[in-house]
Amino acid sequence: MESNNLYHHFLKYLFLSLGILMLITSILSWFFPELFWVNGEKMEQSIITTSVFGIIGIVCFPIFIAIKDKFVIVKLGGQNVTIKNGENERKINWMEVESLSLIQFVYPPLYKLKVKGDNKVYWFNTENQFINAGGFTTDTSEMGYLIKKKKRELGI
């Protein structure tokens, strides 16, 4: 079982694309305010609106830089866990997993993986099969069931 590639790329590049979109909106709202409609009326040129969109866009870039290397593709097997980060591939035994937990309030399900002896934390997703109640997520995918089983067996 392997992480979903589409959701992996979507989550990894979310803040980059959001930052670019906000900066473009900021520039357009200054030079072409008539392109935007607010409450049924054309928007007027406003330094506050332009600044807010610009600041949000600029803040998204450092967030993207900080978290982009945390997203990996994980392949789970009976005895091994394979962590793929770009071209790098690392195969570890389940006994080397220090912690493995579901990050709540993120859809599709996103997990946090920590390997013993490694200071890095890895984030990976499963398939888009989950139950959401009040913001809390329960992973119902096949990969989610394997994770629950291994956590129970190994006491992770």
Side-chain angles (χ1 to χ4, degrees), residues 89-106:
E89 188 171 308
R90 179 178 175 194
K91 192 177 264 191
I92 61 169
N93 190 303
W94 272 101
M95 300 303 287
E96 295 177 53
V97 175
E98 184 177 321
S99 68
L100 180 61
S101 60
L102 180 66
I103 299 173
Q104 294 296 328
F105 307 106
V106 179

Side-chain angles (χ1 to χ4, degrees), residues 103-118:
I103 299 173
Q104 294 296 328
F105 307 106
V106 179
Y107 323 110
L110 187 66
Y111 285 88
K112 180 172 63 170
L113 171 72
K114 182 143 175 49
V115 179
K116 290 178 183 173
D118 193 356

Side-chain angles (χ1 to χ4, degrees), residues 13-155:
Y13 295 106
L14 178 67
F15 282 101
L16 176 64
S17 55
L18 185 62
I20 291 170
L21 181 67
M22 287 296 190
L23 286 176
I24 289 171
T25 303
S26 171
I27 293 167
L28 289 176
S29 73
W30 182 255
F31 291 109
F32 306 105
E34 65 277 356
L35 293 176
F36 298 93
W37 292 75
V38 179
N39 295 329
E41 297 180 13
K42 288 184 180 180
M43 192 173 94
E44 294 180 14
Q45 189 178 38
S46 169
I47 190 71
I48 294 173
T49 304
T50 303
S51 299
V52 168
F53 281 118
I55 290 170
I56 292 171
I58 291 170
V59 167
C60 286
F61 288 113
I63 293 171
F64 166 71
I65 291 168
I67 67 172
K68 72 178 173 67
D69 291 332
K70 290 181 183 254
F71 286 99
V72 295
I73 302 253
V74 171
K75 185 175 182 180
L76 301 179
Q79 300 299 320
N80 294 320
V81 176
T82 305
I83 302 169
K84 296 179 193 175
N85 191 0
E87 297 297 317
N88 300 331
E89 188 171 308
R90 179 178 175 194
K91 192 177 264 191
I92 61 169
N93 190 303
W94 272 101
M95 300 303 287
E96 295 177 53
V97 175
E98 184 177 321
S99 68
L100 180 61
S101 60
L102 180 66
I103 299 173
Q104 294 296 328
F105 307 106
V106 179
Y107 323 110
L110 187 66
Y111 285 88
K112 180 172 63 170
L113 171 72
K114 182 143 175 49
V115 179
K116 290 178 183 173
D118 193 356
N119 291 334
K120 265 185 117 172
V121 174
Y122 302 103
W123 293 346
F124 69 95
N125 63 293
T126 60
E127 292 296 325
N128 191 17
Q129 299 171 357
F130 61 93
I131 297 172
N132 176 21
F136 293 96
T137 308
T138 302
D139 188 3
T140 58
S141 68
E142 188 178 332
M143 194 172 180
Y145 285 125
L146 177 63
I147 290 169
K148 288 176 193 168
K149 179 183 169 193
K150 286 295 187 179
K151 284 180 69 170
R152 202 173 39 250
E153 287 175 358
L154 301 172

